Amino acid sequence: MVNGGAHGARGAGDAGDPRGAHGRRGDLPAMPPTPPVPPMPRQAPAAGPSLGEWLRTPRPEAGPGIWRYGHRTRPPEDPDRLDDRQLLGSAALVVLCGLLVWSLCRNGYIDFWVKPLEWFTPDSWREPGGDHEAFVRAAKTYEYLFTIVFFSVVARMARGGEIWRRYVRPRLRGPGGPEGAGEGAGGPAAPSAAPPGGPADPALWPQLRAVGEQAAADRLTAEIHGGRMNDVDYVRIDRVWQSARARYERLPAFTEAVLDRGAAAFVHPSGDRDLPVRAARHDLLTGQVRLGAAPDEERNPHAYRGVRLALEPALLSTSMLVVGPSAAGKTSRVVRPVVESLALQALAGRAAVIAVGAAGAGLGPDEAYDVVIRLDDPGCAHDLDLYGGADDPDEAAAVLAEALAGDAPGGPVGPGGAGGFGGEADTRRAATVLAQLIGPHRAAHGRFPSVPELRELLEGVPVALAALRQACEAAGDGAALRELDARERQSGRPGDPGPLLADRIALLDRPAFAGFFGAGGATRATRPFAVRDLAHPLRVRIDLPERGHAEASRLLARLLLVQFTACVRDRDERSLFACLVLDDAAHTLTPASVRAVQRLRTANAGVVLALRGLDEVPEPLRAAAVGAVGCRVVLSGVSTWDGEVFAQAWGREWVKTEDVTHNPDFSGGALRRALRGIRTLFTGVRATTRSVTVRTVQRERWSASDLAHKVPPGHAVVSLTTSRGEASPPVLTRLGE
């Protein structure tokens, strides 16, 4: 396991510290100097383009979700465009007919083609004793010209220009450059020697040269040419440069760090400059990760046919819902690439990520993270703060109450559904109860209660309450004593939330979790990880103990979601994109958390929620949950009930339909009618006429039946929305390409 740490903020002040002084792994509160220069990450053989080629590849603006690396805009849709079979079939027919006519002309069966030769040459050339050599030369020239004109006409009739543009030219031009960094496992391959390019060549760092930093630009250019810099290094240093150039007094420090450490300048506090392995294809310059490819078929919108789809922070900041049954590819083809992309961007100082899933879910190796928390592993070096790093008792109580009591509006809170407690009003009552206990405990002991202590207080154990009262009296805190008096008056009354909250918190008071969720005194590590630490570019993975503790895992996932939505909105440093990824978000959404997810767009944060089906969301919240997120991924195998919710969210569109009507054919004279009668007598099929009616009607973009039965395995229907409100239509996507 890789130890983790709380790192210093990576904002504009980075350039002022040439050493890149941040916290080191394994010691969350400490901030020692940056570790020694790490070695260049080992690259896989033939991993992809060189860094210089990767930088020079164009990335034009494109629609939401389109992979921009080497993208070429698709020509506008031509309503008269022939499909491939019509185009090639008609071309073959024209060519065959042309060859037949040419053969007939050459063999004398058609002689009109030689008439122009007779018209424009002297008759004396063809008479006995005439200039036959001149006639032969004229005849050959004429034959060449006729051949050129004839086959030019044949090529035009066969739509040769369209065939060239559609099939030949794309293959001659290639795929538009390499497919971006990360085509192989290790990112861009070692750069070649001196790449071509003028002063604007990004591999020459023109942005530094423009302000006179020639020495720093030369050092970084040499790092690229020498193969000592990768895509993470480039993006990380460029990010620091962007923040440093806003304050010119910090340029000397930036230059000093670059000259001293080269490509390892401003390295991530972990010392990592790349991930141990890349399972997806990334373009860190745009922040995109490849999700799949949209097939070139009629069901997809014209602008998205044949293009590759990608995800980026501008899309994830609207949050994403991934729905698909087990083994449909939610984790391996959607969640894992997202987590991997965010981890790479964290190494570049641009993001922070918390990935939550069951042990062995396949969210990446331990070495790819700064903090790994296994909540049922006594040997784990890190703990999880039950209160998310909150200092205010009322805030901590509100967050904890939402996690304990907010999952089923109007439904039960206790295990097994006992008690009939739930709803937003009761959640507020639960927050009041918790505040009446954890507030006095903090006033008396300087910390929030641990799980066993909180359980005893909620259960109303006389010894625990008496000890807390005695500690508050010793501290002389009258307000804390009044809170305890109010709790004692309310306890035991009908509908008191205390016992039911105690039952919920008891899910975490198990031997498997002994020593976890420490608050203040009895902690398992130097400091438990708190969600508030996402002000730094951290990579965190939390393994939930689903085996034997399914209810506890759901409670913890819900707690992390509530803590995340509460903390990221209060961050002072919002330049880092923060993301929470729940590989299994079953029974984690509450009415308050659904509303909170919608507000994350303005906080440069987002969540990724993966579900096996919408039945894992309370029924009153299903439509709201789908509407709260901007990005939706529906994998193959969903039910028609789930498909109905997404079909309504995607709405309808105007399409042209053709109604074909077959009527009996009574046309023609007696002979034609007699012949049709004879054919009907022998074949049993009555002759009919065919009429076509074209209408414009509204149709669902993807119906519930289509989502349930017409999405092939390995595919998904994807719709994406940017933080600016630009949205893509639902696109059928072949995942993993």
Side-chain angles (χ1 to χ4, degrees):
M1 183 186 66
V2 178
N3 295 334
H7 312 308
R10 301 294 298 269
D14 291 344
D17 184 0
R19 300 171 301 167
H22 299 291
R24 187 190 297 267
R25 292 182 182 181
D27 190 1
L28 287 171
M31 297 179 65
T34 299
V37 177
M40 174 67 183
R42 185 180 64 183
Q43 305 294 342
S50 69
L51 184 60
E53 294 170 341
W54 176 73
L55 290 170
R56 288 187 290 271
T57 301
R59 294 166 173 83
E61 293 295 328
I66 292 179
W67 175 258
R68 291 171 52 195
Y69 183 90
H71 172 67
R72 292 193 301 271
T73 303
R74 189 179 179 90
E77 185 173 11
D78 182 6
D80 299 326
R81 182 179 186 271
L82 299 177
D83 60 29
D84 293 346
R85 180 175 179 179
Q86 287 179 303
L87 178 63
L88 297 178
S90 61
L93 180 61
V94 170
V95 170
L96 289 176
C97 292
L99 291 175
L100 176 61
V101 173
W102 176 246
S103 177
L104 294 175
C105 291
R106 290 294 305 272
N107 290 283
Y109 294 99
I110 299 177
D111 59 358
F112 72 87
W113 69 284
V114 299
K115 295 299 182 182
L117 178 64
E118 298 176 356
W119 297 339
F120 294 101
T121 56
D123 294 338
S124 60
W125 287 3
R126 297 186 296 275
E127 294 176 354
D131 191 353
H132 294 287
E133 293 183 1
F135 180 76
V136 170
R137 289 195 299 270
K140 288 185 178 296
T141 302
Y142 174 76
E143 183 178 351
Y144 293 148
L145 292 176
F146 180 82
T147 302
I148 294 173
V149 172
F150 179 84
F151 282 104
S152 297
V153 173
V154 170
R156 185 176 181 84
M157 295 177 62
R159 299 177 182 261
E162 177 66 17
I163 294 175
W164 174 270
R165 289 189 296 271
R166 192 182 299 188
Y167 305 107
V168 180
R169 188 165 61 185
R171 286 167 173 77
L172 294 178
R173 294 197 329 190
E179 282 297 335
E183 284 295 302
S192 56
D201 184 354
L204 301 178
W205 292 87
Q207 62 271 39
L208 272 66
R209 301 183 190 276
V211 296
E213 297 292 338
Q214 299 291 338
D218 290 341
R219 174 66 191 274
L220 294 176
T221 302
E223 296 285 271
I224 293 178
H225 295 173
R228 296 182 294 274
M229 180 182 290
N230 66 357
D231 53 346
V232 177
D233 296 330
Y234 184 94
V235 174
R236 183 187 67 249
I237 295 173
D238 182 68
R239 189 198 67 84
V240 178
W241 160 252
Q242 297 297 334
S243 62
R245 71 175 183 175
R247 302 183 63 178
Y248 282 97
E249 67 273 13
R250 294 181 176 176
L251 288 180
F254 173 84
T255 302
E256 180 183 350
V258 168
L259 294 177
D260 181 39
R261 301 173 65 85
F266 314 105
V267 70
H268 187 267
S270 65
D272 292 343
R273 295 168 56 191
D274 203 349
L275 297 180
V277 63
R278 299 190 188 187
R281 297 171 180 174
H282 305 270
D283 181 25
L284 287 180
L285 213 57
T286 58
Q288 291 186 312
V289 56
R290 280 255 295 271
L291 183 64
D296 187 358
E297 61 177 51
E298 184 180 356
R299 198 64 193 254
N300 281 333
H302 176 77
Y304 283 83
R305 293 176 189 172
V307 306
R308 293 182 172 92
L309 263 65
L311 297 170
E312 58 183 297
L315 299 171
L316 296 177
S317 63
T318 65
S319 297
M320 184 167 71
L321 184 64
V322 185
V323 179
S326 299
K330 292 190 303 297
T331 300
S332 60
R333 298 184 179 184
V334 181
V335 175
R336 170 69 186 275
V338 169
V339 173
E340 189 176 276
S341 173
L342 295 172
L344 282 171
Q345 295 187 55
L347 293 179
R350 299 197 306 193
V353 59
I354 301 178
V356 183
L363 298 180
D366 293 357
E367 294 77 12
Y369 294 91
D370 303 305
V371 177
V372 175
I373 302 175
R374 298 186 179 92
L375 291 174
D376 60 348
D377 182 6
C380 180
H382 290 93
D383 196 1
L384 179 65
D385 191 338
L386 184 66
Y387 303 96
D391 295 324
D392 180 57
D394 291 331
E395 178 186 352
V399 171
L400 188 57
E402 182 65 31
L404 295 176
D407 59 323
V413 160
F421 175 78
E424 296 187 61
D426 290 326
T427 302
R428 291 192 292 269
R429 291 169 53 207
T432 301
V433 171
L434 290 170
Q436 290 171 342
L437 295 173
I438 66 176
H441 192 283
R442 182 177 178 83
H445 301 288
R447 60 178 176 84
F448 292 133
S450 63
V451 169
E453 293 170 334
L454 182 58
R455 179 183 180 182
E456 290 182 347
L457 294 174
L458 288 171
E459 290 176 342
V461 176
V463 175
L465 290 173
L468 179 57
R469 176 176 291 276
Q470 183 178 1
C472 291
E473 291 174 348
D477 195 325
L481 291 173
R482 288 192 295 272
E483 292 283 356
L484 288 177
D485 292 338
R487 174 86 283 268
E488 290 181 359
R489 289 194 302 270
Q490 296 172 7
S491 63
R493 293 181 179 178
D496 176 39
L500 297 174
L501 292 174
D503 289 342
R504 269 295 171 93
I505 204 69
L507 294 171
L508 304 181
D509 189 18
R510 294 287 186 269
F513 305 131
F516 281 94
F517 315 114
T523 60
R524 301 182 61 259
T526 57
R527 176 189 170 195
F529 167 74
V531 176
R532 290 187 181 274
D533 291 332
L534 287 190
H536 316 299
L538 276 174
R539 302 166 294 165
V540 182
R541 196 189 77 208
I542 301 176
D543 293 345
L544 297 179
E546 286 193 347
R547 181 175 299 177
H549 301 281
E551 287 297 325
S553 296
R554 292 172 180 175
L555 191 153
L556 290 170
R558 188 162 56 250
L559 176 63
L560 288 167
L561 176 60
V562 175
Q563 289 180 349
F564 179 83
T565 55
C567 292
V568 295
R569 294 199 307 268
D570 299 332
R571 292 183 301 164
D572 295 329
E573 177 56 62
R574 293 191 176 184
S575 62
L576 289 176
F577 174 71
C579 190
L580 172 69
V581 181
L582 295 179
D583 185 52
D584 185 359
H587 307 287
T588 60
L589 290 174
T590 67
S593 63
V594 169
R595 290 193 297 270
V597 166
Q598 291 177 307
R599 294 192 291 267
L600 292 179
R601 302 186 184 194
T602 58
N604 194 24
V607 297
V608 177
L609 307 172
L611 297 168
R612 285 176 288 272
L614 291 181
D615 57 346
E616 296 178 331
V617 178
E619 185 173 0
L621 291 180
R622 291 173 189 173
V626 173
V629 300
C631 302
R632 307 175 185 112
V633 179
V634 182
L635 290 90
S636 61
V638 299
S639 66
T640 52
W641 294 273
D642 289 354
E644 183 66 31
V645 179
F646 286 99
Q648 293 178 1
W650 283 324
R652 297 169 176 264
E653 63 180 346
W654 290 99
V655 296
K656 288 185 177 181
T657 61
E658 293 184 353
D659 294 332
V660 180
T661 304
H662 295 275
N663 299 311
D665 186 5
F666 299 109
S667 63
L671 179 60
R672 291 185 60 185
R673 291 198 295 271
L675 293 175
R676 284 197 297 267
I678 295 173
R679 188 182 68 174
T680 302
L681 180 64
F682 281 92
T683 64
V685 179
R686 192 172 184 178
T688 59
T689 60
R690 181 174 179 267
S691 62
V692 179
T693 304
V694 179
R695 296 186 302 170
T696 302
V697 299
Q698 277 192 324
R699 187 185 67 183
E700 290 179 325
R701 297 174 185 268
W702 277 86
S703 69
S705 178
D706 290 344
L707 289 171
H709 304 295
K710 293 187 178 180
V711 180
H715 290 62
V717 180
V718 180
S719 67
L720 305 170
T721 305
T722 69
S723 56
R724 299 187 301 272
E726 301 173 84
S728 76
V731 179
L732 179 65
T733 305
R734 188 167 47 249
L735 298 174
E737 291 193 2

